[in-house]
Amino acid sequence: MELNVKAYQAAGRHDWQMGHARGADPVLPRQQPRPRRGMMGDTAAAKAIAGPQAIYEAFLAEGRFMIQRSRETGEYVFYPKVMAPSGAVDLDWVEASGGGTVYAITVNRKREGSYNVALINLDEGPRMMATVVGVETLPIGARVRARIEAGENPRVVFEPEEK
């Protein structure tokens, strides 16, 4: 979505105030309704009209764990974005290898049961937050393998690799 820069400037706002104007709503162009799950007929249609998050979710619904990669720099990107941290905008979707190592992990305990939240360094380079299923905790540096957990909102979870 592009901001209407001229409208901001005409209203006396500077570029640094875009989206952060005090006391007034920003002047934005008319927005198309955001596609919701179930409104996208197939992944090709989703890719044509959707942003990176919707495309990522469509791939997960197909059972595919995809991340972005810059054609020019070779840099891998996760969480889905329109621009890599280096500034590259030529991002393609590529299949993730699924391998990674535990960077950090914590266990959340509730009366209903406990679950872990882990930061996983993917083999491609990016770090992502996920759950490691089947165990309460793992040592830092342990190897894990990704899989898609199906459901209404599919997600990437990790399992410990066998030694």
Side-chain angles (χ1 to χ4, degrees), residues 8 31 43 63-64 71 82-84 92 99 127 133 140 158:
Y8 264 92
Q31 297 179 11
T43 305
R64 299 173 66 195
R71 287 187 299 271
V82 294
M83 181 187 302
D92 288 329
R127 183 176 295 153
V133 295
I140 303 304
F158 288 85

Side-chain angles (χ1 to χ4, degrees), residues 1-156:
M1 173 176 67
E2 293 181 18
L3 295 174
N4 189 337
V5 176
K6 289 182 182 179
Y8 264 92
Q9 292 169 343
R13 296 186 182 101
H14 300 285
D15 289 342
W16 62 270
Q17 292 175 313
M18 294 179 127
H20 305 285
R22 294 182 188 161
D25 291 332
V27 179
L28 299 174
R30 295 191 137 232
Q31 297 179 11
Q32 296 294 327
R34 184 174 178 191
R36 303 272 185 240
R37 187 176 305 282
M39 288 177 61
M40 298 179 214
D42 57 66
T43 305
K47 291 177 192 175
I49 61 170
Q53 176 65 27
I55 296 170
Y56 173 70
E57 290 173 0
F59 280 127
L60 286 179
E62 291 177 353
R64 299 173 66 195
F65 177 27
M66 305 289 281
I67 61 176
Q68 295 169 297
R69 182 173 186 260
S70 168
R71 287 187 299 271
E72 184 180 334
T73 66
E75 172 185 20
Y76 287 93
V77 177
F78 188 85
Y79 211 79
K81 302 174 181 166
V82 294
M83 181 187 302
S86 67
V89 293
D90 59 342
L91 301 176
D92 288 329
W93 289 96
V94 296
E95 192 91 34
S97 69
T101 57
V102 175
Y103 175 80
I105 191 166
T106 188
V107 178
N108 294 312
R109 291 184 173 84
K110 294 183 170 184
R111 288 187 176 137
E112 301 83 32
S114 61
Y115 63 94
N116 63 52
V117 177
L119 291 176
I120 307 295
N121 285 338
L122 298 176
D123 289 345
E124 291 82 2
R127 183 176 295 153
M128 73 178 289
M129 185 181 296
T131 300
V132 181
V133 295
V135 295
E136 184 174 70
T137 190
L138 281 175
I140 303 304
R143 293 288 301 162
V144 290
R145 174 81 29 207
R147 72 172 171 83
I148 307 295
E149 186 176 78
E152 184 177 328
N153 295 311
R155 66 182 185 137
V156 176

